[in-house]
Amino acid sequence: MENILIKQLYRETDKFVGKEVKISGWIRTLRASNKFGFIEVNDGSFFKNTQVVFDQSLENFKEIAKFAISSSISVEGEVVLTEGAKQPFEIHAKKIILEGKSDADYPLQKKRHTLEYLREIAHLRPRSNTFSAVFRVRSLAAYAIHKFFQEQGFVYVNTPIITGSDAEGAGEMFRVTTLDVKNVPKDEEGNVNCKEDFFEKETNLTVSGQLEAEIYALAFRNVYTFGPTFRAENSNTARHASEFWMIEPEMAFAELNDYLDNAEEMIKYVIKYVMENAPEEMEFFNKFIDKGLFDRLNNVADSEFGRVTYTEAVEILQKSGHEFEYPVEWGIDLQTEHERYLTEEIFGKPVFVTDYPKDIKAFYMRLNEDGKTVAASDLLVPGIGELIGGSQREERLDVLENKIKEIGLNKEDYWWYLELRKYGETKHSGYGLGFERLIMYLTGMGNIRDVIPFPRTPGNAEF
Amino acid sequence: MENILIKQLYRETDKFVGKEVKISGWIRTLRASNKFGFIEVNDGSFFKNTQVVFDQSLENFKEIAKFAISSSISVEGEVVLTEGAKQPFEIHAKKIILEGKSDADYPLQKKRHTLEYLREIAHLRPRSNTFSAVFRVRSLAAYAIHKFFQEQGFVYVNTPIITGSDAEGAGEMFRVTTLDVKNVPKDEEGNVNCKEDFFEKETNLTVSGQLEAEIYALAFRNVYTFGPTFRAENSNTARHASEFWMIEPEMAFAELNDYLDNAEEMIKYVIKYVMENAPEEMEFFNKFIDKGLFDRLNNVADSEFGRVTYTEAVEILQKSGHEFEYPVEWGIDLQTEHERYLTEEIFGKPVFVTDYPKDIKAFYMRLNEDGKTVAASDLLVPGIGELIGGSQREERLDVLENKIKEIGLNKEDYWWYLELRKYGETKHSGYGLGFERLIMYLTGMGNIRDVIPFPRTPGNAEF
């Protein structure tokens, strides 16, 4: 008999009613009397369990009644509708086989566990309801992102993870080496002899694929990256991890507004895809994790995102009468409290803040006509704050060279980035979306450690 | 006027004929007389260029005629059919604007360059025909893989890149550290004090996500990874890179044959997707890179893959009468010459070799009843050799523990891997596909450095 997925049973119930099927999965709950019993089986294909009813007619009835939680079993039986019951159907077992027993000390018994405890058993937590939902949604959101960009003809680019370029400057980096760190080879001046390292130079883990993505945008017009990035920052917050995945789209012949349009469309697309393809999981989040989730997501999917300049935003915040911990004045980097006040209290929906002061933004962002601001924009969303950052890129060779000089960077480190501006430069724009931030936003989960299968944070690299 | 993609012009020509359109792109070729001229423009959305015709009626006619190769331009004009000409249509320009000039020393002039030279200008090579085709196919193949697994309900898992686990044993690793390698902190015994490192232990770049993928298969039943993996091996061959992407599907309640079925279906799916969605690129490869490409790919898509045991394969090779550099006898690891002879000469199509001697395979592969072989299988394909490796995993706790002990591994390093066998183990199987090997196979490109945007090999980490 063909082994079918529980998802099929739920999605095409009519097809299976009255028929015999075979399913396999793990026991979530089991209760039995002397004469019959009920098993909730989950096979990981679907958020919900299926109920299996078994009775004394099975020759191994007594053993079945004692199967431990999390044992894996295969069940053959008839699919029967159960009108009025909690579950729409159940399986009347004709045969139940133990595939793999579970020890009685299984750490995930039915009682509730804290998220902190579950992090310590990251090899078992995906079997719990919460993480089953989180990681199925993560998978669907990743696919929705690929689907969105591929349908628009964007080319997916794998930018390098190991980078010999010190040019990104977006944060602290991890060093990658094959040198024997116990006996590091030194040169005559006592410095590390990087010539003996694997790549014959110092290399690090990338903090962003943007500069390389620009190379590809200037060949393929519209491209996107989707890969891991790294920050060796010693910050222990609920929103920071040392290893996380980023999506970095980059578009040639595109101005700042083109990035905003594309990002807005993308966010709405992903929300709709996940709501449509994981309704059970999303209902779970709305009910047990974040009661305002549906309201917030529907609001985002249906509303036109706000757009406001940084200068306007500063005025709005100053006039709001709200007392902030960090006072607001033109030129400051907006703090999370400012960002959340803007998006939650003032706009009540996502808002793009544009045209930030040049001194608080990266060197590659395009200088505006006013000489004071750059064509950059962050997307702020209720409940999270910054979800996306991006800009139009400085395409003018002379302006870019001056900027590099002005802030004391080494022009030679950027030789290929500058050459892009020599051979058929165009206006171009791009942005970065932290994938885990998006998953937190979609699920209402409050800690980045709970949306990454095996999170890496200072002092933590288990599994 | 809306700026449209050249791909749209080719795919929906009828819609645009007789209409005015605006396109933007880079000049591939330009020739002009005193009265009129022709520009081949490529915008990266499509493999082919579009031809723009311009004449003296344009006020900047003389400047246009001097535009350098690779300048970026925007063109407004009418789409006109060109019966009998090489290209199906052309654009009669009413306006041509220079977006960004190109310097006369542009390194990618029309003459042919060697692939080796193009690697040195990896920031410009995607603008050449060959690499435009390669990286568009790479993007489509990546999407086809996601599409295949998502349509089957597989959950996409991001396994960790930085690993504190020394348990994989698949190859030499890169160390990841924030220690000051010039002044490494030592403990009292003179050893490196890893407690002071970022993760408070020694960490490396992953060589495989398989063991973590098994965790997820035992919760979600069917899962796949698709991410970067690393090997710090000092091998300078055309088929090895230090950083490459792997796809590692893992399926619970699945025996060896289930992996073979899934892998065969997946390979055929990806071939068909790429042939359908990149016909122009594939034709280019078949014509200029590998004249046997279509024959080979069609043969794979249409044939049932062969299946032969290692023991049978050894007999076949011994009886073939062919003289191999490395003699064939039961127990040896098959060499590329043996693999290619099997798949090219004996089978003439892809072939799965199954049930290898246990001593030449990894510890986690399931021991067969004979006590001598394991339920492992490699997929060999003509022209390449090994494309996929996989196995049924050892699910029996006692057998696995014995194996770990037997080969001298440290049981404590595998605590969570062993615990999976305690709490509801099932038969499960999985495999690994090197993404770049697949791209080489799909395109006929002979060197892995030419299917990775910015390849990392010993001594090379440019860009």
Side-chain angles (χ1 to χ4, degrees), chain B residues 156-423:
Chain B
Y156 176 46
V157 187
N158 293 130
T159 49
I161 310 300
I162 299 173
T163 174
S165 141
D166 193 22
E168 294 156 342
E172 294 290 311
M173 294 169 111
F174 289 102
R175 185 170 189 142
V176 174
T177 183
T178 55
L179 294 176
D180 176 1
V181 295
K182 197 177 166 186
N183 294 298
V184 176
K186 304 264 171 84
D187 63 17
E188 287 164 7
E189 285 159 21
N191 293 315
V192 177
N193 187 356
C194 292
K195 285 279 161 208
E196 292 193 24
D197 208 344
F198 191 88
F199 297 106
E200 297 170 19
K201 64 197 280 194
E202 186 180 332
T203 51
N204 297 287
L205 289 179
T206 185
V207 294
S208 161
Q210 179 205 314
L211 303 194
E212 289 91 353
E214 284 186 53
I215 289 176
Y216 271 65
L218 294 175
F220 292 102
R221 185 158 176 164
N222 294 322
V223 304
Y224 69 108
T225 74
F226 191 166
T229 49
F230 306 84
R231 294 278 190 290
E233 268 150 34
N234 198 2
S235 59
N236 264 301
T237 83
R239 304 197 312 157
H240 292 89
S242 310
E243 174 181 318
F244 55 99
W245 286 61
M246 287 256 283
I247 297 105
E248 296 185 284
E250 196 72 33
M251 296 167 281
F253 303 102
E255 299 182 3
L256 186 67
N257 275 326
D258 297 308
Y259 134 45
L260 307 189
D261 293 344
N262 182 273
E264 178 168 344
E265 204 185 326
M266 186 268 295
I267 294 288
K268 290 175 175 175
Y269 184 98
V270 175
I271 289 175
K272 281 179 191 154
Y273 186 86
V274 168
M275 298 280 263
E276 275 168 25
N277 287 278
E280 290 81 7
E281 287 84 349
M282 296 306 286
E283 207 165 289
F284 170 84
F285 292 126
N286 191 55
K287 206 164 164 185
F288 295 108
I289 303 291
D290 178 356
K291 289 200 198 309
L293 184 68
F294 277 1
D295 286 345
R296 210 175 63 218
L297 293 180
N298 287 329
N299 180 25
V300 172
D302 298 336
S303 66
E304 202 173 311
F305 292 9
R307 297 186 185 190
V308 63
T309 66
Y310 169 90
T311 304
E312 289 162 354
V314 165
E315 278 171 27
I316 290 170
L317 291 169
Q318 284 172 333
K319 285 183 187 155
S320 70
H322 186 85
E323 206 159 296
F324 294 106
E325 194 184 337
Y326 295 90
V328 180
E329 59 176 308
W330 200 96
I332 65 156
D333 211 353
L334 297 180
Q335 302 294 314
T336 301
E337 58 168 337
H338 308 138
E339 294 179 338
R340 292 190 60 167
Y341 190 83
L342 269 174
T343 180
E344 289 165 17
E345 304 301 324
I346 304 290
F347 284 87
K349 62 180 182 181
V351 56
F352 286 108
V353 178
T354 66
D355 304 298
Y356 284 84
K358 64 174 180 166
D359 294 336
I360 60 169
K361 287 291 182 183
F363 75 94
Y364 50 72
M365 296 183 173
R366 192 178 196 277
L367 190 63
N368 284 327
E369 296 303 308
D370 62 16
K372 293 191 304 180
T373 61
V374 287
S377 178
D378 290 349
L379 174 65
L380 314 179
V381 297
I384 296 266
E386 185 192 328
L387 186 61
I388 287 178
S391 78
Q392 189 168 335
R393 315 309 187 187
E394 184 55 78
E395 87 280 11
R396 296 162 295 187
L397 183 60
D398 54 341
V399 182
L400 187 60
E401 283 183 331
N402 282 341
K403 181 77 187 184
I404 284 175
K405 199 172 163 188
E406 184 187 315
I407 61 175
L409 296 173
N410 186 358
K411 197 175 142 182
E412 282 68 41
D413 291 342
Y414 298 85
W415 69 271
W416 52 266
Y417 194 67
L418 290 166
E419 277 204 356
L420 294 179
R421 276 74 185 164
K422 277 178 65 182
Y423 302 123

Side-chain angles (χ1 to χ4, degrees), chain A residues 123-400:
Chain A
H123 62 313
L124 299 175
R125 70 175 181 169
R127 302 181 188 191
S128 70
N129 277 333
T130 302
F131 291 98
S132 162
V134 166
F135 292 116
R136 215 175 290 100
V137 165
R138 184 179 165 116
S139 168
L140 290 167
Y143 185 56
I145 286 164
H146 280 294
K147 201 163 182 299
F148 173 82
F149 286 112
Q150 294 273 340
E151 282 171 1
Q152 300 203 5
F154 280 56
V155 170
Y156 177 44
V157 186
N158 293 130
T159 50
I161 310 299
I162 299 173
T163 173
S165 140
D166 193 23
E168 293 155 343
E172 294 290 311
M173 294 170 112
F174 289 102
R175 185 169 188 142
V176 175
T177 183
T178 55
L179 293 177
D180 176 2
V181 294
K182 197 177 164 185
N183 293 298
V184 176
K186 304 265 172 83
D187 62 18
E188 288 164 6
E189 287 158 21
N191 294 315
V192 177
N193 188 355
C194 293
K195 284 278 160 210
E196 292 194 23
D197 208 345
F198 191 89
F199 296 106
E200 297 170 19
K201 63 197 281 195
E202 185 180 334
T203 51
N204 296 288
L205 289 178
T206 185
V207 293
S208 162
Q210 178 204 314
L211 304 194
E212 289 91 352
E214 285 185 54
I215 289 174
Y216 272 65
L218 294 175
F220 292 101
R221 185 157 176 164
N222 294 322
V223 304
Y224 69 108
T225 73
F226 192 166
T229 49
F230 306 84
R231 294 277 190 292
E233 269 150 34
N234 197 3
S235 59
N236 263 301
T237 83
R239 307 197 312 157
H240 292 89
S242 310
E243 174 180 319
F244 55 99
W245 286 61
M246 288 255 283
I247 298 104
E248 298 185 283
E250 197 72 32
M251 298 167 279
F253 303 102
E255 300 183 3
L256 186 66
N257 275 325
D258 296 308
Y259 134 45
L260 306 190
D261 293 344
N262 182 274
E264 179 168 343
E265 202 185 330
M266 186 267 295
I267 294 289
K268 290 176 175 175
Y269 185 97
V270 175
I271 290 175
K272 281 178 190 155
Y273 187 85
V274 168
M275 298 281 262
E276 275 168 24
N277 288 278
E280 290 80 6
E281 287 83 349
M282 295 306 286
E283 209 166 288
F284 171 84
F285 292 126
N286 191 54
K287 206 165 163 185
F288 295 108
I289 303 291
D290 177 356
K291 289 200 197 309
L293 185 67
F294 277 1
D295 285 346
R296 211 175 64 218
L297 293 181
N298 287 329
N299 179 25
V300 172
D302 298 336
S303 66
E304 202 173 310
F305 292 8
R307 297 188 186 189
V308 62
T309 66
Y310 169 90
T311 305
E312 289 162 353
V314 165
E315 278 171 28
I316 289 169
L317 291 170
Q318 284 172 334
K319 285 184 188 155
S320 70
H322 186 84
E323 207 157 294
F324 295 105
E325 194 184 337
Y326 295 90
V328 180
E329 60 176 307
W330 200 97
I332 66 155
D333 212 352
L334 297 181
Q335 303 295 314
T336 302
E337 57 168 339
H338 308 136
E339 294 179 338
R340 293 190 60 167
Y341 190 83
L342 269 174
T343 180
E344 288 166 19
E345 305 300 325
I346 304 291
F347 284 87
K349 63 179 184 182
V351 56
F352 287 108
V353 179
T354 64
D355 304 298
Y356 285 83
K358 64 175 178 162
D359 292 337
I360 60 170
K361 287 291 181 183
F363 75 94
Y364 50 72
M365 297 185 172
R366 192 178 197 276
L367 189 65
N368 284 328
E369 295 303 307
D370 62 18
K372 294 191 303 180
T373 62
V374 286
S377 177
D378 290 350
L379 174 65
L380 313 180
V381 297
I384 296 267
E386 185 190 329
L387 186 62
I388 288 178
S391 78
Q392 189 168 335
R393 316 309 187 186
E394 185 56 75
E395 87 279 13
R396 295 162 295 188
L397 182 60
D398 54 341
V399 181
L400 186 59

Side-chain angles (χ1 to χ4, degrees), chain A residues 413-432:
Chain A
D413 290 341
Y414 298 86
W415 69 271
W416 51 266
Y417 193 68
L418 290 166
E419 276 204 358
L420 294 180
R421 276 75 185 163
K422 277 177 66 182
Y423 302 122
E425 180 47 77
T426 80
K427 286 184 180 168
H428 65 287
S429 299
Y431 60 97

Side-chain angles (χ1 to χ4, degrees), chain A residues 396-410:
Chain A
R396 295 162 295 188
L397 182 60
D398 54 341
V399 181
L400 186 59
E401 283 183 331
N402 282 340
K403 181 77 187 185
I404 285 174
K405 199 172 163 188
E406 185 187 312
I407 61 175
L409 296 173
N410 186 357

